[in-house]
Amino acid sequence: MKFIDLFAGLGSFHLALSSQGHKCVYACEINSKLNQLYQKNFPKVPIDFDIREVNIKNIPKYEILCAGFPCQPFSKAGTQSGFNHKVAGQMFEEIMKFIEAHQPEYVMLENVPNLIKHNKGLTWHYMHSRLESHNYIVEYYIISPIDFNIPQTRERVYILCTKKSEVG
């Protein structure tokens, strides 16, 4: 399957999915050093800098959308400003623009576990509802490298969305 890698960082989603035979057809990363490193490591993948300036109509066809979107607005260590954060708080809506335009079969999102509890659960309720409204089955899992015998504790929430089958 073909996938896109939004908020691509170092390319963790890219490495994981390509190791399973999937092909990355597009990436986006705003951090200039990470963008350059991504280009160096994956030179055949078209990459943009700012997700807010992307012409979504020009993105190649894909079945999987991956996004490790900014966690600062939802982290216990941050201000917990959520959607009110001027820039980072709006990135979920940027992801939704891709989902609405392309309706990928699968969506894989990554963030801090506090996202689920943020703002007394209202943040997660909103996100879950938005994803479900586009006909996705939505699940989440909180996991850490230590769960896979890697000596690091760094919990993350992984949100997995699968398009509901059309029965007709």
Side-chain angles (χ1 to χ4, degrees):
M1 287 187 194
K2 295 178 182 173
F3 68 94
I4 64 170
D5 195 1
L6 306 179
F7 311 97
L10 293 170
S12 297
F13 274 124
H14 186 124
L15 289 172
L17 289 173
S18 63
S19 76
Q20 298 303 305
H22 304 293
K23 182 182 179 186
C24 186
V25 296
Y26 173 79
C28 189
E29 173 53 55
I30 197 165
N31 180 298
S32 60
K33 289 182 181 178
L34 292 175
N35 190 301
Q36 290 171 5
L37 183 60
Y38 198 98
Q39 288 179 49
K40 183 179 177 184
N41 289 336
F42 312 110
K44 295 180 181 177
V45 177
I47 185 167
D48 279 321
F49 182 71
D50 191 337
I51 196 168
R52 297 168 297 179
E53 297 176 8
V54 172
N55 184 343
I56 294 175
K57 293 177 183 175
N58 293 337
I59 303 301
K61 183 174 171 24
Y62 59 93
E63 292 82 23
I64 306 169
L65 179 149
C66 301
F69 62 106
C71 62
Q72 296 86 342
F74 313 108
S75 174
K76 288 181 189 177
T79 62
Q80 296 199 47
S81 54
F83 297 129
N84 293 325
H85 187 280
K86 283 185 190 179
V87 178
Q90 303 309 307
M91 294 303 110
F92 177 74
E93 293 305 325
E94 295 299 327
I95 294 167
M96 290 306 302
K97 289 177 185 176
F98 281 80
I99 290 171
E100 290 165 354
H102 294 271
Q103 298 291 316
E105 191 170 339
Y106 302 99
V107 176
M108 300 170 62
L109 307 176
E110 177 268 337
N111 211 283
V112 293
N114 195 55
L115 175 72
I116 304 302
K117 296 178 184 174
H118 181 266
N119 193 22
K120 299 179 182 174
L122 294 175
T123 299
W124 171 240
H125 177 75
Y126 171 77
M127 290 178 167
H128 188 270
S129 296
R130 290 272 283 136
L131 292 163
E132 277 190 331
S133 74
H134 289 282
N135 208 27
Y136 286 99
I137 297 168
V138 181
E139 302 174 273
Y140 75 87
Y141 303 90
I142 297 174
I143 58 177
S144 176
I146 197 79
D147 298 331
F148 301 94
N149 297 318
I150 297 170
Q152 179 186 23
T153 301
R154 186 173 189 255
E155 287 189 329
R156 307 301 283 176
V157 63
Y158 290 89
I159 301 162
L160 306 175
C161 308
T162 307
K163 204 66 149 152
K164 293 179 184 174
S165 299
E166 306 252 343
V167 180

